[in-house]
Coordinates of all heavy atoms in Angstrom, one line a residue:
Q28 N 0.8 -1.2 0.0 CA 0.0 0.0 0.0 C 0.9 1.3 0.1 O 0.6 2.2 -0.7 CB -0.9 -0.1 1.2 CG -2.0 1.0 1.2 CD -2.9 0.9 2.2 OE1 -3.0 -0.2 2.9 NE2 -3.8 1.9 2.4
E29 N 2.0 1.3 0.8 CA 2.9 2.5 0.8 C 3.5 2.6 -0.5 O 3.7 3.7 -1.0 CB 3.8 2.3 1.9 CG 3.4 2.4 3.3 CD 4.4 2.2 4.3 OE1 5.7 2.4 4.1 OE2 4.0 1.7 5.5
F30 N 3.9 1.6 -1.1 CA 4.6 1.6 -2.4 C 3.6 2.2 -3.5 O 4.1 3.2 -4.1 CB 4.9 0.1 -2.8 CG 5.5 0.1 -4.3 CD1 6.7 0.6 -4.7 CD2 4.7 -0.5 -5.3 CE1 7.2 0.5 -5.9 CE2 5.1 -0.5 -6.6 CZ 6.4 -0.1 -7.0
V31 N 2.4 1.8 -3.6 CA 1.5 2.3 -4.6 C 1.1 3.7 -4.2 O 1.2 4.6 -5.1 CB 0.2 1.5 -4.7 CG1 -0.9 2.1 -5.5 CG2 0.5 0.0 -5.1
G32 N 1.0 4.1 -2.9 CA 0.7 5.5 -2.5 C 1.9 6.4 -3.0 O 1.7 7.5 -3.6
A33 N 3.1 6.0 -2.7 CA 4.3 6.8 -3.1 C 4.4 6.9 -4.5 O 4.7 8.0 -5.1 CB 5.6 6.2 -2.4
E34 N 4.3 5.9 -5.3 CA 4.4 5.9 -6.7 C 3.3 6.7 -7.4 O 3.4 7.3 -8.3 CB 4.4 4.5 -7.3 CG 5.6 3.7 -6.9 CD 6.9 4.3 -7.4 OE1 7.0 4.4 -8.8 OE2 7.8 4.8 -6.7
S35 N 2.0 6.6 -6.9 CA 1.0 7.4 -7.4 C 1.1 8.9 -7.1 O 0.7 9.8 -7.9 CB -0.4 6.9 -7.0 OG -0.6 7.1 -5.6
A36 N 1.7 9.2 -5.9 CA 2.0 10.7 -5.5 C 2.8 11.3 -6.5 O 2.7 12.6 -6.7 CB 2.5 10.7 -4.1
V37 N 3.7 10.7 -7.0 CA 4.7 11.2 -8.1 C 4.3 11.0 -9.6 O 5.1 11.2 -10.5 CB 6.2 10.9 -7.8 CG1 6.6 11.4 -6.4 CG2 6.3 9.4 -7.9
G38 N 3.1 10.4 -9.7 CA 2.7 10.1 -11.0 C 3.2 8.9 -11.8 O 2.9 8.8 -13.0
R39 N 3.8 8.0 -11.1 CA 4.3 6.8 -11.8 C 3.3 5.7 -11.8 O 3.4 4.8 -12.7 CB 5.6 6.3 -11.1 CG 6.7 7.3 -11.4 CD 8.1 6.6 -11.0 NE 8.3 6.7 -9.5 CZ 9.1 7.5 -8.9 NH1 10.0 8.3 -9.6 NH2 9.3 7.5 -7.7
L40 N 2.4 5.6 -11.0 CA 1.3 4.6 -11.0 C 0.0 5.3 -10.6 O 0.0 6.3 -9.9 CB 1.6 3.5 -9.9 CG 2.7 2.6 -10.0 CD1 2.8 1.7 -9.0 CD2 2.5 1.8 -11.4
D41 N -1.1 4.6 -11.1 CA -2.4 5.1 -10.8 C -2.7 4.4 -9.4 O -2.5 3.2 -9.3 CB -3.4 4.6 -11.9 CG -4.8 5.3 -11.7 OD1 -5.4 5.0 -10.6 OD2 -5.2 5.9 -12.7
A42 N -3.4 5.0 -8.5 CA -3.7 4.4 -7.2 C -4.7 3.3 -7.3 O -4.7 2.4 -6.5 CB -4.2 5.5 -6.3
R43 N -5.4 3.2 -8.5 CA -6.4 2.2 -8.7 C -5.8 0.8 -8.8 O -6.5 -0.2 -8.9 CB -7.4 2.6 -9.7 CG -8.3 3.8 -9.3 CD -9.1 4.3 -10.5 NE -8.2 5.0 -11.5 CZ -8.7 5.6 -12.6 NH1 -10.0 5.8 -12.7 NH2 -7.8 6.3 -13.3
V44 N -4.5 0.7 -9.0 CA -3.8 -0.5 -9.2 C -3.7 -1.3 -7.9 O -3.3 -2.5 -8.0 CB -2.4 -0.5 -9.9 CG1 -2.5 0.2 -11.3 CG2 -1.4 0.2 -8.9
L45 N -3.8 -0.7 -6.8 CA -3.6 -1.3 -5.5 C -4.4 -2.6 -5.4 O -3.8 -3.7 -5.0 CB -3.9 -0.3 -4.4 CG -3.8 -1.0 -2.9 CD1 -2.3 -1.3 -2.7 CD2 -4.2 0.1 -1.9
P46 N -5.8 -2.8 -5.6 CA -6.3 -4.0 -5.6 C -5.8 -5.1 -6.6 O -5.8 -6.3 -6.2 CB -7.8 -3.8 -5.9 CG -8.1 -2.3 -5.8 CD -6.7 -1.7 -6.1
V47 N -5.4 -4.7 -7.6 CA -4.6 -5.6 -8.7 C -3.5 -6.2 -8.1 O -3.2 -7.4 -7.9 CB -4.4 -5.0 -10.0 CG1 -3.7 -5.9 -11.0 CG2 -5.7 -4.4 -10.6
L48 N -2.6 -5.4 -7.5 CA -1.3 -5.7 -6.8 C -1.6 -6.6 -5.6 O -1.0 -7.6 -5.5 CB -0.5 -4.7 -6.5 CG 0.5 -4.1 -7.5 CD1 1.4 -3.0 -7.1 CD2 1.5 -5.2 -8.0
R49 N -2.6 -6.3 -4.8 CA -3.0 -7.0 -3.6 C -3.3 -8.4 -4.0 O -2.9 -9.4 -3.4 CB -4.0 -6.3 -2.8 CG -4.4 -7.0 -1.5 CD -5.5 -6.2 -0.8 NE -4.8 -5.0 -0.3 CZ -5.5 -3.9 -0.2 NH1 -6.6 -3.7 -0.9 NH2 -4.9 -2.8 0.2
Q50 N -4.3 -8.6 -5.0 CA -4.7 -9.9 -5.4 C -3.5 -10.7 -5.9 O -3.4 -11.9 -5.7 CB -5.8 -9.9 -6.5 CG -6.3 -11.2 -6.9 CD -7.5 -11.1 -7.6 OE1 -8.4 -10.2 -7.5 NE2 -7.7 -12.2 -8.5
A51 N -2.7 -10.1 -6.7 CA -1.4 -10.8 -7.3 C -0.7 -11.3 -6.2 O 0.0 -12.4 -6.3 CB -0.7 -9.9 -8.2
V52 N -0.4 -10.5 -5.2 CA 0.5 -10.9 -4.0 C -0.3 -12.0 -3.3 O 0.4 -13.0 -3.0 CB 0.8 -9.8 -3.1 CG1 1.4 -10.2 -1.8 CG2 1.7 -8.7 -3.8
L53 N -1.5 -11.9 -2.9 CA -2.1 -12.8 -2.2 C -2.4 -14.2 -2.8 O -2.4 -15.3 -2.3 CB -3.5 -12.3 -1.5 CG -3.3 -11.2 -0.6 CD1 -4.6 -10.6 -0.2 CD2 -2.5 -11.7 0.6
L54 N -2.8 -14.1 -4.1 CA -3.1 -15.3 -4.9 C -2.2 -15.7 -5.9 O -2.3 -16.8 -6.5 CB -4.6 -15.1 -5.6 CG -5.7 -14.6 -4.6 CD1 -7.0 -14.4 -5.5 CD2 -6.0 -15.8 -3.6
G55 N -1.2 -14.9 -6.2 CA -0.1 -15.2 -7.1 C -0.5 -14.8 -8.6 O 0.4 -14.5 -9.4
S56 N -1.7 -14.6 -8.9 CA -2.0 -14.1 -10.2 C -3.3 -13.4 -10.2 O -4.2 -13.5 -9.3 CB -2.1 -15.4 -11.2 OG -3.2 -16.2 -10.9
V57 N -3.6 -12.6 -11.3 CA -4.9 -12.0 -11.5 C -5.4 -12.3 -13.0 O -4.7 -11.9 -13.9 CB -4.7 -10.3 -11.4 CG1 -6.0 -9.7 -11.5 CG2 -4.1 -10.2 -10.0
P58 N -6.5 -12.9 -13.2 CA -7.0 -13.0 -14.4 C -7.3 -11.7 -15.0 O -7.9 -10.7 -14.4 CB -8.3 -13.9 -14.2 CG -8.2 -14.4 -12.9 CD -7.4 -13.5 -12.1
R59 N -7.0 -11.5 -16.3 CA -7.1 -10.2 -16.9 C -8.6 -9.7 -17.1 O -8.9 -8.6 -17.0 CB -6.6 -10.2 -18.4 CG -5.1 -10.3 -18.3 CD -4.5 -10.5 -19.7 NE -3.1 -10.8 -19.7 CZ -2.1 -9.9 -19.8 NH1 -2.4 -8.6 -19.9 NH2 -0.9 -10.2 -19.8
R60 N -9.6 -10.7 -17.1 CA -11.0 -10.4 -17.2 C -11.5 -9.7 -15.8 O -12.4 -9.1 -15.9 CB -11.8 -11.7 -17.4 CG -11.8 -12.6 -16.4 CD -12.6 -13.9 -16.6 NE -12.6 -14.8 -15.7 CZ -11.7 -15.7 -15.4 NH1 -10.7 -15.8 -16.3 NH2 -11.8 -16.6 -14.5
E61 N -10.7 -9.9 -14.8 CA -11.0 -9.3 -13.4 C -10.5 -7.8 -13.3 O -10.9 -7.1 -12.4 CB -10.6 -10.1 -12.3 CG -11.3 -11.4 -12.2 CD -10.8 -12.3 -11.1 OE1 -10.1 -11.7 -10.1 OE2 -11.1 -13.5 -11.1
L62 N -9.6 -7.3 -14.3 CA -9.1 -6.0 -14.1 C -10.1 -4.9 -14.0 O -10.0 -4.0 -13.1 CB -8.0 -5.8 -15.3 CG -6.8 -6.6 -15.2 CD1 -6.0 -6.3 -16.6 CD2 -6.0 -6.5 -13.9
P63 N -11.2 -4.8 -14.8 CA -12.1 -3.8 -14.7 C -12.8 -3.8 -13.3 O -13.0 -2.7 -12.7 CB -13.1 -4.1 -15.8 CG -12.4 -4.8 -16.8 CD -11.4 -5.7 -16.0
Q64 N -13.1 -4.9 -12.8 CA -13.9 -5.1 -11.5 C -12.9 -4.6 -10.5 O -13.3 -3.9 -9.5 CB -14.2 -6.5 -11.3 CG -14.9 -6.7 -9.9 CD -15.3 -8.1 -9.7 OE1 -15.0 -9.0 -10.4 NE2 -15.8 -8.4 -8.5
L65 N -11.6 -5.0 -10.5 CA -10.7 -4.5 -9.5 C -10.3 -3.1 -9.4 O -10.1 -2.5 -8.4 CB -9.4 -5.5 -9.5 CG -9.6 -6.9 -9.2 CD1 -8.3 -7.7 -9.7 CD2 -9.8 -7.0 -7.7
T66 N -10.2 -2.4 -10.6 CA -9.9 -1.1 -10.8 C -11.1 -0.1 -10.7 O -10.9 1.1 -10.6 CB -9.0 -0.8 -12.1 OG1 -9.8 -1.3 -13.3 CG2 -7.7 -1.6 -12.0
G67 N -12.3 -0.7 -11.1 CA -13.5 0.2 -11.0 C -13.6 0.9 -12.3 O -14.3 2.0 -12.3
V68 N -13.0 0.5 -13.5 CA -13.0 1.3 -14.7 C -13.4 0.3 -15.8 O -13.3 -1.0 -15.6 CB -11.8 2.1 -15.1 CG1 -11.6 3.2 -13.9 CG2 -10.6 1.2 -15.1
A69 N -13.6 0.8 -17.0 CA -13.8 0.0 -18.2 C -12.7 -0.9 -18.6 O -11.5 -0.5 -18.2 CB -14.4 0.8 -19.3
E70 N -12.8 -1.9 -19.3 CA -11.7 -2.8 -19.6 C -10.6 -2.2 -20.3 O -9.3 -2.3 -20.0 CB -12.3 -3.9 -20.7 CG -11.3 -4.9 -21.0 CD -11.7 -6.0 -21.9 OE1 -12.9 -6.1 -22.2 OE2 -10.9 -6.7 -22.5
R71 N -10.8 -1.3 -21.3 CA -9.6 -0.6 -21.9 C -8.8 0.3 -21.0 O -7.6 0.3 -21.1 CB -10.2 0.3 -23.1 CG -9.2 1.0 -23.9 CD -9.7 1.8 -25.0 NE -9.0 1.4 -26.2 CZ -9.4 1.7 -27.4 NH1 -10.6 2.1 -27.6 NH2 -8.6 1.3 -28.4
Q72 N -9.6 1.1 -20.1 CA -8.9 2.0 -19.2 C -8.2 1.1 -18.1 O -7.2 1.5 -17.7 CB -9.9 2.9 -18.5 CG -9.1 4.0 -17.7 CD -10.1 5.1 -17.2 OE1 -11.3 5.1 -17.4 NE2 -9.4 6.0 -16.4
A73 N -8.8 0.0 -17.7 CA -8.1 -0.9 -16.8 C -6.9 -1.4 -17.3 O -5.8 -1.5 -16.6 CB -9.0 -2.1 -16.3
R74 N -6.8 -1.8 -18.6 CA -5.5 -2.2 -19.2 C -4.5 -1.2 -19.1 O -3.4 -1.3 -18.9 CB -5.7 -2.8 -20.5 CG -6.4 -4.1 -20.7 CD -6.4 -4.7 -22.0 NE -6.8 -3.8 -23.1 CZ -7.8 -3.7 -23.7 NH1 -8.8 -4.6 -23.4 NH2 -8.2 -2.9 -24.7
R75 N -4.9 0.1 -19.5 CA -4.0 1.3 -19.5 C -3.5 1.6 -18.2 O -2.2 1.8 -18.0 CB -4.7 2.4 -20.1 CG -3.8 3.7 -20.2 CD -4.6 5.0 -20.6 NE -5.7 5.3 -19.6 CZ -5.3 5.9 -18.4 NH1 -4.2 6.2 -18.0 NH2 -6.3 6.3 -17.6
I76 N -4.3 1.4 -17.1 CA -3.8 1.7 -15.7 C -2.8 0.6 -15.2 O -1.8 1.0 -14.5 CB -5.1 1.6 -14.8 CG1 -5.9 2.9 -15.0 CG2 -4.7 1.5 -13.4 CD1 -7.4 2.9 -14.3
V77 N -3.0 -0.7 -15.7 CA -2.2 -1.7 -15.3 C -0.9 -1.8 -16.1 O 0.2 -2.4 -15.6 CB -2.9 -3.0 -15.3 CG1 -2.0 -4.3 -15.0 CG2 -4.1 -3.0 -14.2
T78 N -0.8 -1.2 -17.2 CA 0.3 -1.3 -18.1 C 1.7 -0.9 -17.4 O 2.6 -1.6 -17.6 CB 0.1 -0.5 -19.5 OG1 -0.9 -1.2 -20.1 CG2 1.4 -0.4 -20.3
P79 N 1.7 0.1 -16.7 CA 3.0 0.4 -16.0 C 3.5 -0.6 -15.1 O 4.7 -0.8 -15.0 CB 2.6 1.7 -15.2 CG 1.5 2.3 -16.0 CD 0.7 1.2 -16.5
L80 N 2.6 -1.4 -14.5 CA 3.0 -2.5 -13.7 C 3.8 -3.6 -14.5 O 4.8 -4.2 -14.0 CB 1.8 -3.2 -12.9 CG 1.2 -2.3 -11.9 CD1 -0.1 -3.0 -11.4 CD2 2.0 -1.8 -10.8
V81 N 3.2 -3.8 -15.7 CA 3.8 -4.8 -16.6 C 5.2 -4.3 -17.1 O 6.2 -4.9 -17.1 CB 2.9 -5.1 -17.7 CG1 3.5 -6.1 -18.7 CG2 1.6 -5.9 -17.1
E82 N 5.1 -3.0 -17.6 CA 6.3 -2.4 -18.0 C 7.6 -2.4 -17.1 O 8.7 -2.6 -17.4 CB 6.1 -0.9 -18.5 CG 5.2 -1.0 -19.8 CD 4.8 0.5 -20.2 OE1 4.9 1.4 -19.4 OE2 4.3 0.6 -21.3
R83 N 7.2 -2.2 -15.8 CA 8.2 -2.1 -14.8 C 8.5 -3.6 -14.2 O 9.5 -3.7 -13.5 CB 7.8 -1.3 -13.5 CG 7.7 0.2 -13.9 CD 7.1 1.0 -13.0 NE 7.9 1.1 -11.7 CZ 7.6 1.9 -10.7 NH1 6.6 2.7 -10.8 NH2 8.4 1.9 -9.6
G84 N 7.8 -4.6 -14.7 CA 8.2 -5.9 -14.3 C 7.5 -6.4 -13.0 O 7.9 -7.4 -12.6
L85 N 6.7 -5.6 -12.5 CA 6.0 -6.0 -11.2 C 4.9 -7.0 -11.5 O 4.5 -7.9 -10.6 CB 5.4 -4.8 -10.5 CG 6.4 -3.7 -10.1 CD1 5.7 -2.4 -9.7 CD2 7.1 -4.3 -8.9
L86 N 4.3 -7.2 -12.7 CA 3.4 -8.1 -13.1 C 3.8 -8.7 -14.4 O 4.5 -8.0 -15.2 CB 2.0 -7.6 -13.3 CG 1.3 -7.1 -12.0 CD1 -0.1 -6.5 -12.4 CD2 1.1 -8.2 -11.0
R87 N 3.7 -10.0 -14.6 CA 4.0 -10.7 -15.9 C 2.9 -11.4 -16.4 O 2.1 -12.0 -15.6 CB 5.3 -11.6 -15.6 CG 6.5 -10.9 -15.5 CD 7.6 -11.9 -15.4 NE 8.8 -11.2 -15.2 CZ 10.1 -11.7 -15.1 NH1 10.2 -13.0 -15.0 NH2 11.2 -11.0 -15.0
G88 N 2.9 -11.7 -17.6 CA 2.0 -12.6 -18.2 C 1.9 -12.3 -19.7 O 1.8 -11.1 -20.1
S89 N 1.7 -13.3 -20.5 CA 1.6 -13.1 -22.0 C 0.2 -12.5 -22.2 O -0.6 -12.6 -21.3 CB 1.9 -14.4 -22.8 OG 1.0 -15.4 -22.6
K90 N -0.1 -12.3 -23.4 CA -1.3 -11.6 -23.7 C -2.6 -12.2 -23.2 O -3.6 -11.5 -22.7 CB -1.4 -11.4 -25.3 CG -2.6 -10.5 -25.7 CD -2.6 -10.3 -27.2 CE -3.7 -9.4 -27.6 NZ -3.6 -9.1 -29.0
D91 N -2.7 -13.5 -23.3 CA -4.0 -14.2 -22.9 C -3.9 -14.8 -21.5 O -4.8 -15.4 -21.1 CB -4.4 -15.2 -23.9 CG -4.7 -14.6 -25.3 OD1 -5.1 -13.5 -25.3 OD2 -4.4 -15.1 -26.3
E92 N -2.7 -14.8 -20.9 CA -2.6 -15.5 -19.6 C -3.0 -14.5 -18.5 O -2.9 -13.2 -18.6 CB -1.2 -15.9 -19.4 CG -0.8 -17.0 -20.5 CD 0.7 -17.4 -20.2 OE1 1.5 -16.8 -19.5 OE2 1.0 -18.5 -20.9
P93 N -3.3 -15.0 -17.3 CA -3.3 -14.2 -16.2 C -2.0 -13.4 -15.8 O -1.0 -13.9 -16.2 CB -3.6 -15.1 -15.0 CG -4.2 -16.3 -15.7 CD -3.5 -16.5 -16.9
L94 N -2.2 -12.3 -15.2 CA -1.0 -11.5 -14.7 C -0.5 -12.2 -13.5 O -1.2 -12.4 -12.5 CB -1.4 -10.0 -14.7 CG -1.7 -9.4 -15.8 CD1 -2.3 -8.0 -15.5 CD2 -0.6 -9.2 -16.8
R95 N 0.8 -12.4 -13.5 CA 1.4 -13.1 -12.3 C 2.4 -12.0 -11.6 O 2.9 -11.2 -12.3 CB 2.3 -14.3 -12.6 CG 1.5 -15.4 -13.3 CD 2.3 -16.6 -13.6 NE 3.6 -16.2 -14.2 CZ 3.7 -16.0 -15.5 NH1 2.9 -15.9 -16.3 NH2 5.0 -15.7 -15.9
I96 N 2.4 -12.1 -10.3 CA 3.3 -11.2 -9.5 C 4.8 -11.5 -9.9 O 5.1 -12.6 -10.0 CB 3.0 -11.3 -8.0 CG1 3.7 -10.2 -7.2 CG2 3.4 -12.7 -7.5 CD1 3.1 -8.9 -7.5
A97 N 5.5 -10.4 -9.9 CA 7.0 -10.7 -10.1 C 7.7 -9.5 -9.3 O 7.2 -8.5 -9.0 CB 7.3 -10.5 -11.6
F98 N 8.9 -9.8 -8.9 CA 9.6 -8.9 -8.1 C 11.0 -8.6 -8.7 O 12.0 -9.3 -8.4 CB 9.8 -9.4 -6.7 CG 8.5 -9.7 -5.9 CD1 8.0 -10.8 -5.8 CD2 7.9 -8.6 -5.4 CE1 6.9 -11.1 -5.0 CE2 6.6 -8.8 -4.9 CZ 6.2 -10.1 -4.6
P99 N 11.0 -7.7 -9.6 CA 12.2 -7.5 -10.4 C 13.3 -6.8 -9.4 O 12.9 -5.9 -8.5 CB 11.8 -6.4 -11.4 CG 10.6 -5.8 -10.9 CD 9.9 -6.8 -10.1
L100 N 14.5 -7.2 -9.6 CA 15.5 -6.7 -8.7 C 15.6 -5.2 -8.7 O 15.9 -4.5 -7.7 CB 16.9 -7.3 -9.2 CG 18.1 -7.1 -8.3 CD1 17.8 -7.7 -6.8 CD2 19.3 -7.8 -8.8
A101 N 15.5 -4.5 -9.7 CA 15.6 -3.1 -9.9 C 14.5 -2.4 -9.0 O 14.7 -1.3 -8.5 CB 15.3 -2.6 -11.3
E102 N 13.3 -3.1 -8.7 CA 12.3 -2.5 -7.8 C 12.4 -3.1 -6.4 O 11.6 -2.6 -5.6 CB 11.0 -2.8 -8.5 CG 10.7 -2.3 -9.8 CD 10.4 -0.8 -9.8 OE1 10.2 -0.1 -8.8 OE2 10.4 -0.2 -10.9
S103 N 13.3 -3.8 -6.1 CA 13.2 -4.5 -4.8 C 13.3 -3.6 -3.6 O 12.6 -3.8 -2.6 CB 14.4 -5.7 -4.7 OG 15.7 -5.0 -4.7
E104 N 14.1 -2.6 -3.6 CA 14.3 -1.6 -2.5 C 13.0 -0.8 -2.4 O 12.5 -0.4 -1.2 CB 15.5 -0.7 -2.8 CG 15.7 0.2 -1.7 CD 15.9 -0.3 -0.2 OE1 16.5 -1.5 -0.1 OE2 15.7 0.3 0.7
R105 N 12.3 -0.5 -3.5 CA 11.0 0.2 -3.3 C 9.8 -0.6 -2.9 O 9.1 -0.1 -2.1 CB 10.7 0.9 -4.8 CG 11.8 1.8 -5.2 CD 11.4 3.0 -6.0 NE 10.2 3.5 -5.7 CZ 10.0 4.6 -4.9 NH1 11.0 4.9 -4.2 NH2 8.8 5.2 -4.8
V106 N 9.9 -1.9 -3.4 CA 8.8 -2.8 -2.9 C 9.0 -3.3 -1.5 O 8.1 -3.4 -0.8 CB 8.6 -3.9 -3.9 CG1 7.5 -5.0 -3.4 CG2 8.2 -3.4 -5.3
F107 N 10.3 -3.6 -1.3 CA 10.7 -4.2 0.1 C 11.7 -3.3 0.7 O 13.0 -3.7 0.7 CB 11.2 -5.6 -0.1 CG 10.2 -6.6 -0.6 CD1 10.5 -7.1 -1.9 CD2 9.0 -7.0 -0.1 CE1 9.6 -7.9 -2.6 CE2 8.2 -7.9 -0.7 CZ 8.4 -8.3 -1.8
P108 N 11.4 -2.1 1.2 CA 12.4 -1.2 1.8 C 13.2 -1.9 2.9 O 12.5 -2.5 3.8 CB 11.8 0.0 2.3 CG 10.3 -0.3 2.1 CD 10.1 -1.6 1.4
H109 N 14.5 -1.8 2.9 CA 15.4 -2.3 4.0 C 15.3 -3.9 4.1 O 15.6 -4.3 5.1 CB 14.9 -1.7 5.4 CG 14.9 -0.2 5.3 ND1 16.0 0.6 4.9 CD2 13.8 0.7 5.3 CE1 15.6 1.9 5.0 NE2 14.3 2.0 5.2
L110 N 14.9 -4.6 3.1 CA 15.0 -6.0 3.2 C 16.4 -6.5 3.3 O 16.6 -7.4 4.1 CB 14.3 -6.5 1.8 CG 14.2 -8.1 1.7 CD1 13.4 -8.7 2.8 CD2 13.7 -8.5 0.5
W111 N 17.2 -5.9 2.6 CA 18.7 -6.3 2.6 C 19.5 -5.1 3.1 O 19.5 -4.0 2.5 CB 19.4 -6.7 1.3 CG 18.8 -8.0 0.8 CD1 18.9 -9.2 1.2 CD2 17.9 -8.1 -0.3 NE1 18.2 -10.1 0.5 CE2 17.5 -9.3 -0.5 CE3 17.1 -7.2 -1.1 CZ2 16.7 -10.0 -1.4 CZ3 16.4 -7.7 -2.0 CH2 16.1 -9.0 -2.2
R112 N 20.1 -5.3 4.3 CA 20.8 -4.2 4.8 C 22.3 -4.4 4.5 O 22.8 -5.5 4.7 CB 20.7 -4.1 6.3 CG 19.3 -3.9 6.8 CD 19.3 -3.1 8.1 NE 18.0 -2.8 8.6 CZ 17.4 -1.7 8.5 NH1 18.2 -0.7 8.1 NH2 16.2 -1.5 8.9
I113 N 22.9 -3.5 3.8 CA 24.3 -3.5 3.4 C 25.1 -2.8 4.6 O 24.8 -1.6 4.8 CB 24.5 -2.9 2.1 CG1 23.6 -3.5 1.0 CG2 25.9 -2.9 1.7 CD1 23.6 -2.9 -0.3
P114 N 26.0 -3.5 5.3 CA 26.8 -2.9 6.2 C 27.7 -1.8 5.7 O 28.0 -1.8 4.4 CB 27.6 -4.0 6.8 CG 27.6 -5.1 5.8 CD 26.4 -4.9 4.9
P115 N 27.8 -0.7 6.5 CA 28.7 0.3 6.0 C 30.1 -0.1 5.7 O 30.6 -1.0 6.5 CB 28.7 1.4 7.1 CG 28.0 0.8 8.3 CD 27.4 -0.5 7.9
A116 N 30.8 0.6 4.8 CA 32.2 0.1 4.5 C 33.1 0.6 5.4 O 32.9 1.5 6.2 CB 32.5 0.7 3.1

């Protein structure tokens, strides 16, 4: 929730993606047909809202498959802040 809030505050994500990410984390995937219901918008706009998650690698899935949660290394510190603590040199 904090991740989506911070990213939406600076315009990188739409806050309506939160239920999509939540379902992907809890269940492992989100059927594409459920995107309009989860985001509260029409199908075309739901796909547009979710596209940044796919582009950033937070969700994966080919065109007809459900979207699966993914944790790209480049986003790990933002998604899981302080997960790995690097000792000072």
Side-chain angles (χ1 to χ4, degrees):
Q28 188 170 351
E29 288 179 30
F30 171 73
V31 172
E34 293 296 295
S35 66
V37 294
R39 288 191 284 249
L40 288 179
D41 188 305
R43 294 173 285 188
V44 300
L45 182 59
V47 176
L48 272 180
R49 182 177 290 133
Q50 181 169 328
V52 168
L53 294 175
L54 302 178
S56 67
V57 178
R59 291 176 189 266
R60 69 181 178 277
E61 293 181 15
L62 293 177
Q64 178 184 359
L65 291 169
T66 57
V68 297
E70 182 180 350
R71 181 179 228 160
Q72 189 172 2
R74 285 194 313 259
R75 186 187 58 76
I76 289 170
V77 172
T78 295
L80 296 174
V81 175
E82 289 173 346
R83 291 174 66 173
L85 293 164
L86 294 176
R87 288 187 177 178
S89 65
K90 188 174 181 178
D91 297 326
E92 293 180 350
L94 294 169
R95 297 179 322 276
I96 191 69
F98 297 109
L100 190 55
E102 299 284 351
S103 62
E104 182 61 28
R105 298 212 35 87
V106 177
F107 302 109
H109 311 295
L110 180 63
W111 293 287
R112 295 208 183 256
I113 300 173

